[in-house]
Amino acid sequence: MPSVRRSRLVGRALWGIYLGALVAGLWLIFLLLFAHSFFEGVTLEFPPRGLTLENYFQISSAFFPALRVSLVLGLCAGLLNVLLAIPAAYVLSRFEFPGKDFINTVLVAPNMVPAVSLALGLLALYAWLGAIDTFWGLVSALGIITMPYMLRPVLSAFNEMDPSLEEAARTLGAGRWRVFLMVTLPLIGPGVLAGLLLSFIIGFNEFTVIIFLYGPKNLPASVWLWNMLFMYGITPQFAAAVAIMQLVSFAVLFVLVGVIGRRYLQGAVF
Amino acid sequence: MVDGAERSITRRRSAWPSVALPLAPALLFYLVFLVYPIVVLGLYSLQERGGGIGLGNYLQFFRNVGLRRTLTNTLTIAAAATLLDLILGYPVAYYLARRRTWLADLVQVSLLIPLYGGLYVAFAFMLMLLPNGFLNSVLTFFHVVEKPLSLLYTYPTLIAAFGVYGLPFMVYPLRAAIQSIDPAVEEAARTLGASGWQVLRRILLPMSSVGVVGGVLLNFGWNVAIFSIPLVLSFKGAPFLSIDIYFSTRYGIRWSYAATLSAVLFLITFGLSYLYLVLVKPTRTVRAEGE
């Protein structure tokens, strides 16, 4: 059967080439952004005249406050989601009640709404509440669009957990809160952390909803980058600022995949 | 044992506050920051110029030549990107469904890269395709082309960028559908002498049709609503619905106009996603329970 073996080898090689090219293409997009941040010169050209770290020192000082705003917004949106998602996910995984399917659908609905439409609706709401360019306004907007990414891993963590462990603790005399803190929370911990990190990555990089609602007092880095591009075009300093954003996102993604595992990423997209 | 389990279930059913109270904060949050904004949009879009209430804005939308062109252009780009993703994504989904190798792991993680930042996908395409950028330098170095190609503000680039951004939304539904096909069916066909193409045409595609429909619905609904990529990469003569909405808010908002555009966009994306949930999701969960 040498021909069978050969055709199997050819098949394997073809898969390798196709998927290798796909992976390389996806990574190239982002390696290119990194690479350009080290290029010497005033304008970006390829191949570069030389390599330098100077671009990082020449990033406009206005970038770093914007970066801080993005970090804090992403984190706060994640924490808000933790507080809202844990009780909701607990009920959804443990109880049967009428309307449960409907609520399940509603909770993933932010993914079904175009970001631009939601942003315009929020603009109307915030204009009425006077919440444009407020910190809590932006946190709430980020919270709603990242909520599904928090709920899915938390729900799957609750579903995987054996409820009899809680009942055992109750039988042994532990109170409701004690059971939650000592038994439930450690068991669903990885799911909660996965949801928190996913929410953070998305909130940290979110651009569409923010650009409708931001203002000079709360200017996140993603919008700052767009403003720079709009005014000055692509420069090496711009590439360096993008590279910093990418480094933060990749570090979090690395923790997510490396430490918590891919288990909670399975259902991350629908 | 059985007695205890039954008792705990009945206790849970009867205690409605223990269901309602933990759900209340999340649902209230959704009501204020999701339902209310969308309802307000709908109301604004129904406010006619004369002061009455009706579908006048929508009629105007479809009568306006410029807006009709914007809508056609948006739908065409989204459809082209969906077709691209279907062709690119099917083999990927097949591989992810059937193999458990390090390569499958790598592909799965790599697919997540573009997901959180359409803005970065757009930046990267810009860097790649500038007249003195990466692609043109490589091409001229190897004498594939003599003069740099001007690819940056063209339809193929826009569609390719959309394709990269939306690929996971095609691959995941497809993978789930292919996973539900028993590998033995394929093997049987092969043993009986079917070629790879015949297996794909006669077995894989028909049996994974739910996944194809699901992937197309999700991916197209996602593509229509993309904002950051066309903001950076679209060009004069390629109007895009989401971009129109944004610029209509920049200098003095005409709420009924902006809201009508947003409502049309909402109806497309929400409708397709809802169709996906109704048509595709249930079969998947039923299958999971049957396993």
Side-chain angles (χ1 to χ4, degrees):
Chain A
M1 304 289 264
S3 73
V4 169
R5 200 197 271 159
R6 201 166 61 210
S7 78
R8 198 169 277 174
L9 265 179
V10 169
R12 242 202 207 159
L14 283 176
W15 274 121
I17 291 169
Y18 180 67
L19 296 171
L22 184 88
V23 169
L26 287 170
W27 283 94
L28 178 72
I29 287 175
F30 290 89
L31 289 179
L32 217 57
L33 287 168
F34 272 120
H36 276 80
S37 70
F38 300 111
F39 285 11
E40 223 172 71
V42 189
T43 59
L44 278 176
E45 52 191 297
F46 197 95
R49 264 173 264 162
L51 298 177
T52 172
L53 280 173
E54 195 56 33
N55 298 329
Y56 282 88
F57 298 106
Q58 284 180 355
I59 300 174
S60 156
S61 59
F63 172 68
F64 295 97
L67 183 66
R68 214 195 65 193
V69 170
S70 283
L71 287 169
V72 175
L73 278 177
L75 198 65
C76 288
L79 291 174
L80 174 69
N81 284 353
V82 169
L83 291 179
L84 295 174
I86 289 180
Y90 176 78
V91 169
L92 287 170
S93 78
R94 294 293 159 75
F95 297 97
E96 287 304 324
F97 53 92
K100 185 174 159 178
D101 282 347
F102 176 72
I103 289 176
N104 259 323
T105 309
V106 167
L107 289 177
V108 296
N111 275 356
M112 302 160 69
V113 176
V116 175
S117 304
L118 180 61
L120 191 72
L122 284 172
L123 187 64
L125 173 68
Y126 285 10
W128 181 52
L129 293 174
I132 295 168
D133 193 17
T134 57
F135 181 74
W136 68 266
L138 291 176
V139 168
S140 306
L142 291 180
I144 196 78
I145 52 174
T146 56
M147 192 60 139
Y149 299 94
M150 170 65 77
L151 267 167
R152 287 197 202 97
V154 174
L155 254 175
S156 78
F158 268 121
N159 287 336
E160 276 169 28
M161 187 193 146
D162 187 354
S164 64
L165 290 172
E166 279 173 10
E167 273 168 30
R170 287 299 296 272
T171 317
L172 293 171
R176 230 171 235 274
W177 282 103
R178 200 175 146 84
V179 170
F180 179 75
L181 288 176
M182 310 285 283
V183 179
T184 315
L185 204 55
L187 284 169
I188 60 161
V192 174
L193 196 56
L196 185 63
L197 294 180
L198 267 177
S199 296
F200 173 78
I201 294 183
I202 292 163
F204 175 69
N205 290 293
E206 174 58 32
F207 172 69
T208 309
V209 173
I210 297 281
I211 201 171
F212 281 79
L213 306 171
Y214 84 101
K217 272 181 282 170
N218 297 279
L219 176 72
S222 56
V223 176
W224 185 86
L225 284 174
W226 160 247
N227 289 343
M228 284 297 111
L229 184 76
F230 193 68
M231 284 189 281
Y232 305 114
I234 284 194
T235 61
Q237 292 77 37
F238 172 82
V242 172
I244 291 176
M245 296 286 286
Q246 296 285 305
L247 276 174
V248 173
S249 308
F250 268 74
V252 178
L253 194 66
F254 184 77
V255 172
L256 192 61
V257 175
V259 179
I260 301 169
R262 261 166 294 100
R263 194 152 53 105
Y264 293 105
L265 293 181
Q266 291 286 344
V269 185
F270 266 88
Chain B
M1 241 348 246
V2 173
D3 207 348
E6 266 174 9
R7 202 171 55 227
S8 79
I9 284 167
T10 46
R11 175 170 57 81
R12 279 170 184 186
R13 275 209 181 132
S14 61
W16 71 266
S18 66
V19 170
L21 285 180
L23 273 174
L27 289 181
L28 194 68
F29 185 62
Y30 272 65
L31 199 65
V32 175
F33 293 100
L34 186 72
V35 179
Y36 181 83
I38 297 298
V39 170
V40 164
L41 269 191
L43 291 178
Y44 274 132
S45 76
L46 292 175
Q47 250 164 35
E48 284 178 356
R49 195 173 287 179
I53 286 183
L55 293 172
N57 289 319
Y58 292 92
L59 289 176
Q60 238 170 15
F61 180 98
F62 288 106
R63 275 200 208 114
N64 185 318
V65 180
L67 283 176
R68 234 169 31 214
R69 216 176 97 65
T70 304
L71 186 63
T72 323
N73 194 61
T74 306
L75 295 177
T76 311
I77 292 174
T82 299
L83 188 66
L84 179 70
D85 277 346
L86 184 60
I87 294 165
L88 281 180
Y90 199 91
V92 180
Y94 178 81
Y95 192 87
L96 290 182
R98 288 284 187 258
R99 309 283 157 84
R100 289 270 169 275
T101 59
W102 62 268
L103 188 58
D105 283 354
L106 184 63
V107 168
Q108 208 168 336
V109 174
S110 305
L111 278 177
L112 290 173
I113 300 176
L115 201 68
Y116 57 79
L119 201 57
Y120 306 115
V121 175
F123 291 163
F125 267 81
M126 239 182 146
L127 279 178
M128 192 145 47
L129 301 173
L130 283 170
N132 52 1
F134 177 76
L135 189 73
N136 275 317
S137 304
V138 172
L139 289 181
T140 45
F141 182 80
F142 289 108
H143 296 288
V144 181
V145 294
E146 294 309 316
K147 268 194 303 187
L149 301 169
S150 48
L151 293 165
L152 192 49
Y153 297 108
T154 61
Y155 278 108
T157 301
L158 201 53
I159 292 164
F162 271 59
V164 167
Y165 194 32
L167 195 56
F169 293 94
M170 181 61 85
V171 170
Y172 287 122
L174 280 177
R175 184 187 60 184
I178 296 170
Q179 250 166 0
S180 71
I181 305 171
D182 190 345
V185 182
E186 264 172 77
E187 275 161 35
R190 283 205 179 265
T191 318
L192 294 170
S195 68
W197 173 246
Q198 280 173 321
V199 172
L200 179 70
R201 270 288 318 272
R202 299 282 185 79
I203 294 174
L204 281 176
L205 280 179
M207 290 184 82
S208 64
S209 56
V210 172
V212 173
V213 171
V216 166
L217 287 175
L218 265 192
N219 185 278
F220 186 78
W222 170 261
N223 286 344
V224 170
I226 295 178
F227 172 71
S228 42
I229 291 175
L231 185 68
V232 178
L233 291 179
S234 86
F235 46 95
K236 242 198 165 109
F240 210 76
L241 206 52
S242 57
I243 305 302
D244 260 29
I245 294 168
Y246 171 63
F247 281 109
S248 75
T249 65
R250 289 303 298 278
Y251 311 104
I253 309 180
R254 261 181 54 210
W255 274 104
S256 62
Y257 174 83
T260 308
L261 263 61
S262 302
V264 170
L265 188 61
F266 170 80
L267 289 175
I268 296 171
T269 300
F270 187 80
L272 293 177
S273 308
Y274 188 73
L275 215 56
Y276 168 81
L277 281 183
V278 172
L279 291 179
V280 182
K281 259 289 174 69
T283 48
R284 250 170 69 184
T285 44
V286 167
R287 200 202 80 246
E289 278 161 18
E291 271 171 5

XYZ file of all heavy atoms in Angstrom, chain B residues 224-277:
434
model
N -21.906 43.333 8.127
C -22.705 44.518 7.809
C -22.467 45.614 8.845
O -22.485 46.797 8.527
C -24.204 44.147 7.754
C -25.069 45.385 7.682
C -24.476 43.284 6.535
N -22.210 45.212 10.101
C -22.149 46.179 11.198
C -20.740 46.672 11.507
O -20.568 47.511 12.377
C -22.760 45.557 12.454
N -19.724 46.173 10.796
C -18.346 46.564 11.124
C -18.172 48.079 10.930
O -18.669 48.655 9.970
C -17.327 45.802 10.257
C -17.390 44.315 10.574
C -15.916 46.321 10.503
C -16.462 43.476 9.726
N -17.464 48.699 11.867
C -17.315 50.155 11.831
C -15.863 50.588 11.607
O -15.571 51.398 10.728
C -17.839 50.747 13.139
C -17.569 52.217 13.303
C -18.250 53.143 12.538
C -16.636 52.664 14.217
C -18.006 54.495 12.688
C -16.386 54.016 14.374
C -17.077 54.936 13.611
N -14.947 50.023 12.404
C -13.590 50.576 12.410
C -12.846 50.323 11.101
O -12.091 51.190 10.658
C -12.795 50.016 13.586
O -13.039 48.654 13.741
N -13.067 49.159 10.479
C -12.329 48.862 9.242
C -12.723 49.810 8.108
O -11.850 50.429 7.497
C -12.481 47.381 8.851
C -11.734 46.517 9.856
C -11.947 47.128 7.454
C -11.906 45.044 9.660
N -14.022 49.978 7.824
C -14.341 50.944 6.765
C -13.982 52.381 7.141
O -13.684 53.179 6.256
C -15.850 50.788 6.563
C -16.346 50.043 7.725
C -15.215 49.222 8.233
N -13.985 52.699 8.444
C -13.596 54.066 8.841
C -12.181 54.370 8.367
O -11.895 55.463 7.896
C -13.685 54.215 10.368
C -13.415 55.616 10.906
C -14.514 56.566 10.498
C -13.262 55.608 12.424
N -11.287 53.374 8.513
C -9.888 53.586 8.133
C -9.656 53.291 6.646
O -8.917 54.002 5.983
C -8.957 52.700 8.998
C -7.508 52.862 8.580
C -9.122 53.045 10.473
N -10.288 52.253 6.125
C -9.908 51.748 4.796
C -10.866 52.087 3.667
O -10.549 51.838 2.514
C -9.745 50.218 4.850
C -8.567 49.672 5.654
C -8.577 48.157 5.616
C -7.253 50.197 5.113
N -12.078 52.605 3.983
C -12.980 52.844 2.861
C -12.596 54.146 2.179
O -11.829 54.949 2.700
C -14.439 52.831 3.291
O -14.818 54.091 3.739
N -13.129 54.374 0.995
C -12.650 55.467 0.149
C -13.846 56.115 -0.515
O -14.972 55.627 -0.416
C -11.694 54.910 -0.900
C -12.192 53.668 -1.573
C -12.873 53.721 -2.774
C -12.003 52.426 -0.964
C -13.340 52.576 -3.378
C -12.476 51.274 -1.570
C -13.152 51.341 -2.774
N -13.584 57.214 -1.159
C -14.662 57.921 -1.858
C -15.287 56.980 -2.877
O -14.596 56.288 -3.599
C -14.079 59.147 -2.567
C -14.677 60.442 -2.054
C -14.441 61.565 -3.029
C -15.360 62.705 -2.650
N -14.713 63.826 -2.092
N -16.587 56.935 -2.911
C -17.239 56.044 -3.858
C -17.538 54.681 -3.266
O -18.095 53.832 -3.935
N -17.123 54.438 -2.000
C -17.489 53.196 -1.325
C -18.170 53.546 -0.011
O -17.621 53.334 1.061
C -16.265 52.322 -1.080
N -19.388 54.122 -0.069
C -20.054 54.548 1.155
C -20.462 53.343 2.001
O -20.741 52.275 1.462
C -21.282 55.297 0.649
C -21.565 54.708 -0.679
C -20.232 54.323 -1.260
N -20.445 53.524 3.310
C -20.764 52.421 4.213
C -21.759 52.912 5.262
O -21.620 54.024 5.779
C -19.477 51.914 4.877
C -19.526 50.460 5.208
C -19.368 49.507 4.217
C -19.755 50.045 6.512
C -19.430 48.159 4.512
C -19.814 48.702 6.813
C -19.649 47.761 5.805
N -22.733 52.089 5.569
C -23.839 52.494 6.433
C -23.363 52.975 7.804
O -23.742 54.052 8.272
C -24.817 51.319 6.590
C -26.272 51.646 6.902
C -26.824 52.643 5.914
C -27.105 50.363 6.873
N -22.498 52.170 8.471
C -22.071 52.530 9.821
C -21.270 53.833 9.818
O -21.337 54.602 10.776
C -21.249 51.399 10.436
O -20.149 51.085 9.632
N -20.523 54.062 8.744
C -19.719 55.290 8.650
C -20.643 56.507 8.476
O -20.434 57.556 9.087
C -18.734 55.200 7.468
C -17.873 53.951 7.585
C -17.861 56.436 7.385
C -17.086 53.869 8.850
N -21.671 56.329 7.651
C -22.668 57.387 7.477
C -23.295 57.779 8.814
O -23.492 58.958 9.102
C -23.781 56.898 6.539
C -23.581 57.427 5.133
O -22.414 57.653 4.773
O -24.589 57.621 4.430
N -23.623 56.757 9.610
C -24.245 57.015 10.913
C -23.300 57.841 11.782
O -23.692 58.837 12.383
C -24.603 55.691 11.625
C -25.687 54.960 10.836
C -25.063 55.958 13.056
C -25.916 53.538 11.283
N -22.025 57.447 11.811
C -21.064 58.165 12.638
C -20.936 59.626 12.201
O -21.024 60.535 13.026
C -19.702 57.470 12.592
C -18.602 58.259 13.242
C -18.662 58.551 14.606
C -17.529 58.743 12.515
C -17.672 59.295 15.212
C -16.538 59.484 13.113
C -16.612 59.762 14.465
O -15.644 60.499 15.062
N -20.768 59.841 10.895
C -20.554 61.217 10.453
C -21.815 62.070 10.583
O -21.722 63.283 10.699
C -19.984 61.251 9.034
C -18.514 60.971 9.022
C -18.026 59.781 8.521
C -17.621 61.883 9.563
C -16.653 59.509 8.553
C -16.258 61.620 9.595
C -15.775 60.426 9.088
N -22.990 61.406 10.590
C -24.207 62.199 10.789
C -24.330 62.698 12.223
O -25.130 63.584 12.510
C -25.440 61.359 10.428
O -25.700 60.429 11.444
N -23.522 62.150 13.156
C -23.571 62.641 14.534
C -22.509 63.705 14.797
O -22.485 64.293 15.867
C -23.337 61.514 15.560
O -21.995 61.037 15.398
C -24.302 60.376 15.370
N -21.615 63.930 13.836
C -20.474 64.789 14.115
C -20.848 66.265 14.240
O -20.504 66.923 15.207
C -19.383 64.621 13.052
C -18.668 63.315 13.111
C -18.042 63.065 14.474
N -17.042 64.051 14.839
C -15.793 64.007 14.424
N -15.389 63.055 13.630
N -14.937 64.919 14.810
N -21.558 66.791 13.262
C -21.817 68.231 13.279
C -23.314 68.472 13.363
O -23.992 68.607 12.352
C -21.228 68.871 12.026
C -19.811 68.447 11.788
C -19.504 67.512 10.811
C -18.779 68.943 12.590
C -18.195 67.100 10.621
C -17.473 68.531 12.404
C -17.192 67.616 11.418
O -15.904 67.197 11.231
N -23.850 68.481 14.569
C -25.279 68.704 14.748
C -26.078 67.503 14.284
O -26.210 67.260 13.089
N -26.611 66.743 15.228
C -27.288 65.503 14.866
C -28.684 65.775 14.350
O -29.428 66.558 14.953
C -27.415 64.569 16.079
C -26.063 64.403 16.751
C -27.969 63.219 15.655
C -26.111 63.510 17.946
N -29.049 65.149 13.209
C -30.459 65.060 12.853
C -30.906 63.692 13.316
O -30.648 62.692 12.668
C -30.637 65.206 11.339
C -31.037 66.619 10.934
C -31.213 66.698 9.455
N -32.152 65.688 8.972
C -32.085 65.136 7.760
N -31.128 65.471 6.947
N -32.982 64.255 7.393
N -31.581 63.686 14.484
C -31.812 62.405 15.143
C -32.620 61.427 14.306
O -32.302 60.252 14.240
C -32.498 62.617 16.499
C -31.493 62.888 17.563
C -31.205 64.088 18.121
C -30.596 61.949 18.144
N -30.188 63.963 19.031
C -29.797 62.659 19.074
C -30.381 60.585 17.986
C -28.821 62.052 19.834
C -29.397 59.976 18.739
C -28.632 60.707 19.650
N -33.679 61.935 13.623
C -34.523 60.994 12.906
C -33.745 60.329 11.772
O -33.892 59.137 11.509
C -35.768 61.699 12.360
O -35.383 62.702 11.449
N -32.848 61.107 11.140
C -32.042 60.559 10.050
C -31.076 59.495 10.572
O -31.048 58.348 10.105
C -31.271 61.703 9.376
C -30.287 61.276 8.314
C -30.713 61.027 7.021
C -28.928 61.133 8.610
C -29.810 60.637 6.043
C -28.022 60.743 7.642
C -28.466 60.492 6.359
O -27.570 60.109 5.405
N -30.286 59.873 11.589
C -29.301 58.942 12.147
C -29.984 57.699 12.711
O -29.495 56.576 12.548
C -28.485 59.635 13.230
N -31.134 57.910 13.372
C -31.827 56.782 14.004
C -32.400 55.829 12.956
O -32.411 54.618 13.152
C -32.932 57.296 14.918
N -32.873 56.375 11.832
C -33.415 55.507 10.789
C -32.321 54.622 10.206
O -32.506 53.409 10.041
C -34.056 56.344 9.662
O -34.976 57.257 10.246
C -34.765 55.462 8.666
N -31.164 55.222 9.917
C -30.036 54.437 9.412
C -29.640 53.344 10.412
O -29.419 52.183 10.044
C -28.828 55.356 9.147
C -28.622 55.827 7.714
C -29.811 56.632 7.225
C -27.355 56.669 7.606
N -29.550 53.730 11.691
C -29.167 52.768 12.724
C -30.194 51.660 12.865
O -29.846 50.504 13.096
C -29.019 53.459 14.080
O -28.076 54.465 13.999
N -31.470 52.039 12.722
C -32.518 51.036 12.861
C -32.458 50.027 11.715
O -32.649 48.825 11.926
C -33.890 51.712 12.908
N -32.175 50.514 10.499
C -32.036 49.592 9.361
C -30.886 48.622 9.625
O -31.016 47.403 9.468
C -31.809 50.378 8.049
C -31.419 49.450 6.922
C -33.057 51.164 7.683
N -29.751 49.173 10.069
C -28.589 48.343 10.390
C -28.931 47.338 11.490
O -28.610 46.146 11.403
C -27.446 49.258 10.841
C -26.083 48.613 11.055
C -25.586 48.003 9.772
C -25.083 49.649 11.550
N -29.620 47.828 12.510
C -30.008 46.956 13.624
C -30.893 45.812 13.143
O -30.690 44.658 13.504
C -30.746 47.779 14.688
C -31.398 46.946 15.755
C -30.654 46.427 16.798
C -32.756 46.663 15.705
C -31.241 45.644 17.764
C -33.361 45.881 16.668
C -32.601 45.372 17.706
N -31.888 46.158 12.306
C -32.824 45.133 11.841
C -32.100 44.044 11.043
O -32.408 42.867 11.185
C -33.936 45.767 10.996
C -34.935 46.598 11.798
C -35.926 47.292 10.868
C -35.675 45.731 12.814
N -31.126 44.442 10.233
C -30.380 43.441 9.446
C -29.603 42.513 10.378
O -29.770 41.293 10.361
C -29.418 44.131 8.458
C -30.203 44.951 7.426
C -28.564 43.090 7.748
C -29.320 45.828 6.552
N -28.734 43.099 11.214
C -27.849 42.277 12.042
C -28.636 41.480 13.075
O -28.423 40.270 13.243
C -26.806 43.164 12.752
O -26.042 43.831 11.767
C -25.892 42.342 13.623
N -29.557 42.147 13.764
C -30.323 41.455 14.797
C -31.182 40.358 14.176
O -31.269 39.245 14.701
C -31.199 42.452 15.559
C -31.893 41.851 16.742
C -31.206 41.665 17.934
C -33.208 41.457 16.675
C -31.826 41.101 19.022
C -33.843 40.882 17.762
C -33.146 40.713 18.938
N -31.807 40.683 13.043
C -32.653 39.695 12.370
C -31.878 38.442 11.992
O -32.324 37.320 12.260
N -30.697 38.639 11.412
C -29.905 37.483 10.981
C -29.399 36.686 12.181
O -29.420 35.457 12.170
C -28.726 37.935 10.107
C -29.111 38.540 8.755
C -27.889 39.025 8.011
C -29.862 37.518 7.910
N -28.955 37.396 13.242
C -28.471 36.693 14.433
C -29.606 35.921 15.096
O -29.416 34.806 15.588
C -27.878 37.677 15.445
O -26.934 38.498 14.823
N -30.794 36.534 15.101
C -31.943 35.872 15.710
C -32.312 34.622 14.912
O -32.575 33.562 15.479
C -33.135 36.832 15.779
C -34.283 36.276 16.580
C -34.188 36.197 17.966
C -35.419 35.786 15.959
C -35.208 35.643 18.698
C -36.448 35.238 16.694
C -36.340 35.169 18.063
O -37.348 34.612 18.796
N -32.274 34.765 13.581
C -32.525 33.625 12.698
C -31.524 32.511 13.006
O -31.876 31.327 13.035
C -32.366 34.084 11.248
C -33.275 33.470 10.196
C -34.723 33.664 10.564
C -32.968 34.065 8.832
N -30.287 32.904 13.248
C -29.253 31.921 13.589
C -29.629 31.170 14.869
O -29.567 29.945 14.921
C -27.909 32.624 13.772
C -26.841 31.757 14.389
C -26.132 30.847 13.637
C -26.563 31.841 15.762
C -25.175 30.044 14.206
C -25.607 31.039 16.341
C -24.909 30.143 15.545
O -23.967 29.342 16.130
N -30.051 31.933 15.886
C -30.421 31.301 17.159
C -31.591 30.348 16.963
O -31.617 29.254 17.516
C -30.795 32.368 18.191
C -29.652 33.079 18.880
C -30.196 34.038 19.923
C -28.709 32.090 19.533
